[in-house]
Amino acid sequence: EAQPYRNISLGSSLSSLDNSASWISPSGEFSFGFSRIGDNLYVGVRYEKIPEKTLVWAANRDRPAPPGSTVELTNNGLLVINDANGKPFFSIGGSSGGSAITQAAMLDTGNLVLQSSPGSEFKWQSFDSPTDTILPTQTLSVDYKLYAPMSPTILSTGRDYIVMQSDGNFVSYSDISEPTYASNTDGTKGRLVFDESGKISIFQWEKNTTVEITPASRIPKPSKDFYFRGTIDNDGIFRLYNYPKGRSNSWSKSWNVIWETQDSSCEMPGICGQNGYCVGKNKGFDCLCPSGFSYADANNKVLGCNQDVPIIDCGQYNPDDYGLETIDNVNFAGGDYAVKSNIDEAGCRDWFLADCYCTLAVYSDSNCYKKRMPLRSGKVAGGSKAFVKVSLDNSSPLEGGGPSNITSNGRSNWSRFGVVKVVLFVISVTIFILIIIESIILICHRRRNVHRQEKLVGSMQPEIKLMRFSYKELEKATRNFKEKLGSGSFGTVYRGMMVFTYGQKPIAVKQLDKLMENGDKEFRTEVSVIGRTHHKNLVQLLGFCDEGSHRLLVYEYMEQGSLSSFLLGSIRPEWNTRVQIAFGIARGLMYLHEECSTQIIHCDIKPENILLDGNLIPKISDFGLAKLLRHDQTKTNTDIRGTRGYVAPEWFRKMAVTVKVDVYSYGVMLLEIICCRKTVEINMMNEPSGILVDWAYDCFVGQQLETLVEHDEDAKNDMKKVRKMVMVALWCIQEDPSLRPTMKKVTQMLEGAVDVAIPPNPSS
């Protein structure tokens, strides 16, 4: 049996091959040593007298030790993990003040400390480097955080955390920096205190007051009969646990939850990742995938689900070839690209099936919601039904679910044999009639194409082939402008479906409502210019309408919506995806500025005007429209407190507007892409980070760029690229337009073709 240690001398070591090896506190309640959890080997502090020896602090949570490792307090006073060959693998701690370390100690509080002499101050302590748990007598000072583990068996730093904020609030956040709990104790600075009685409170030293966080009625008495711990679990919920030291009539011999920041794991935003949905299971939760999806990692379901089914060829789409699989009592939060109200379930099914581009829809409270991919924050929701589109030739049951409930257009499917007999009978009876009808349709179709070709704008180049639509055609295509996608400075955008020679295709119809008076000639001229553009990163203009007072533009439809909703959604987009989006936008702007036959200045670059297709390729929208606005619409309100937004300073100084105004706007947007946040946070205006462009420069000068991507591990592992992109952005937002690079040079700097010099203060 391992012996208690009061002082651990230099040269002492523990081997992972010896299961009994540990450094134990004087009371025997805590120990330090190796713990195997799942397939991983960790070194840390644990409750020694509990049968499962619960690990409460893992020194190497992000770097599990290799088999055969040892942990050693070296003669130099460093606590290190060595691999099986004796080579240093991971450094746990040492003196930061230059004083020599002579010993270590495992204290009865669960605190592992390094000292220069017995009874002296701690030169290093585990309490100063908390992972996911705090213990009685431990405090959390301002900005100290607890990070949730990835899973119960993978303890690496997870997506969620809880922090003692400088405003006095104890707040938990999801991986996209969305608050999920707040103690509502803001107003004065404080620190979190976990006392020996099991209570958690905030001591506000400026007021010399204590505010209790955990209700006193929840704490069992006498507290000396229980072990306690406060842990943020892998679902992002912070829980206060107790464990009876002896027999108890009221508490089971296990860790019991006595208080938690959320009642249900499934209430946590994005807990099951993209496309997954959460279900309660045995006081915990499980993540499931809809039909046609599979786990990104079956061993770590919270990473979400990938879509397995191939993208539907909408040119060949026939709703009758597809059925709907129903997931009862499930909903996905947000991500609605179209909503229809006051509709019954059968109508919702038909509306969904008719849309080739929609994979999943939700019916709830007489409303039908078409969901944008990827799906987010799926969970059990009573009264809701999720419909998943499945091919009748290749349907599959729900992952982990029961029998399939597949219907076609809301009705039970016939047997395939019965369908074949009916189809053969109908074909044999009507084949002659079908041939005649097909001939008539072909003749009419050719005449219509000839007529439409005659309606091409005469002044346009023949290769453009923009189509001129009648207002009635667009009214029909949009079902009387029913599905509104959004609105902006140029007008309102509606979704529609249009039949072309190559099949039916979704379209976006922009209804312009702020044009110059008597601007017919200008409208056709600008449409002609827009029509001659063609680039991978520009939204394609398909046609227009200039009938009477109506001015409408018809664009290709973008499935994934705007960059704004993508960046600020419930799940933080991957770093590499954001990098590629930034590069694509730069290439699109370079094309508009330098490669078009007629140079185009956008004048309104912002995330709302960047759209994403099904492959997350960015496409610039609303280019070429600035000249069409009425003069009173081009004036910009300068009375905006504390921010310049996306608007370049020369707009306010009556200077000539050049392509450099787009460069400025791109720089602001590039910072938003890097940080996944808005350029201005109204609720943070009194903080240094309130205005993004100013904060980014301060972080750059102060060599604290990691602060900009604090909760983004992929970005933090790619700080060289983060630094380069921030430097490019700072060059773009220089107040002096002559100092800003061209978009061609911006593209070259981002892609590494030219070096990026140190940028000056943008406001200097």
Side-chain angles (χ1 to χ4, degrees), residues 579-616:
V579 170
Q580 293 306 313
I581 287 173
F583 286 14
I585 299 168
R587 296 185 193 109
L589 277 175
M590 180 180 70
Y591 172 85
L592 290 177
H593 291 178
E594 302 189 23
E595 298 174 3
C596 279
S597 57
T598 301
Q599 185 185 69
I600 295 177
I601 305 175
H602 191 290
C603 297
D604 196 21
I605 288 294
K606 57 184 179 181
E608 289 80 3
N609 282 337
I610 307 298
L611 304 180
L612 304 174
D613 71 4
N615 296 315
L616 296 180

Side-chain angles (χ1 to χ4, degrees), residues 126 193 378 545 714:
S126 59
V193 178
C545 170
D714 289 339

Side-chain angles (χ1 to χ4, degrees), residues 245-304:
K245 295 181 180 180
R247 297 184 63 180
S248 172
N249 295 327
S250 303
W251 301 94
S252 63
K253 196 70 172 175
S254 63
W255 285 109
N256 303 282
V257 177
I258 56 179
W259 179 81
E260 55 191 337
T261 55
Q262 293 277 358
D263 293 331
S264 169
S265 301
C266 291
E267 293 300 320
M268 301 299 288
I271 189 170
C272 287
Q274 293 187 353
N275 303 320
Y277 65 95
C278 181
V279 295
K281 182 179 181 182
N282 298 330
K283 296 184 180 180
F285 72 100
D286 194 13
C287 293
L288 301 180
C289 297
S291 179
F293 294 76
S294 60
Y295 293 115
D297 183 350
N299 296 319
N300 197 3
K301 296 181 180 180
V302 296
L303 295 180

Side-chain angles (χ1 to χ4, degrees), residues 13 52 67 78 104 125 167 239 344 358 371 378 394 403 410 424 450-451 531 539 543 559 567 571 621 683 693 761:
S13 64
E52 59 267 32
L78 296 176
Q125 58 180 329
D167 63 359
R239 296 180 174 92
D344 60 18
C358 190
K371 296 293 181 177
N394 189 29
L424 289 176
V450 170
H451 181 60
V539 177
E559 298 96 320
L567 291 177
I571 297 178
S621 68
N683 60 344
V693 293
N761 187 331

Side-chain angles (χ1 to χ4, degrees), residues 190-209:
R191 63 175 177 268
L192 191 81
V193 178
F194 192 0
D195 66 28
E196 291 181 275
S197 70
K199 291 188 301 183
I200 296 178
S201 58
I202 293 177
F203 175 66
Q204 300 172 332
W205 63 79
E206 292 178 343
K207 294 182 178 180
N208 195 28
T209 59

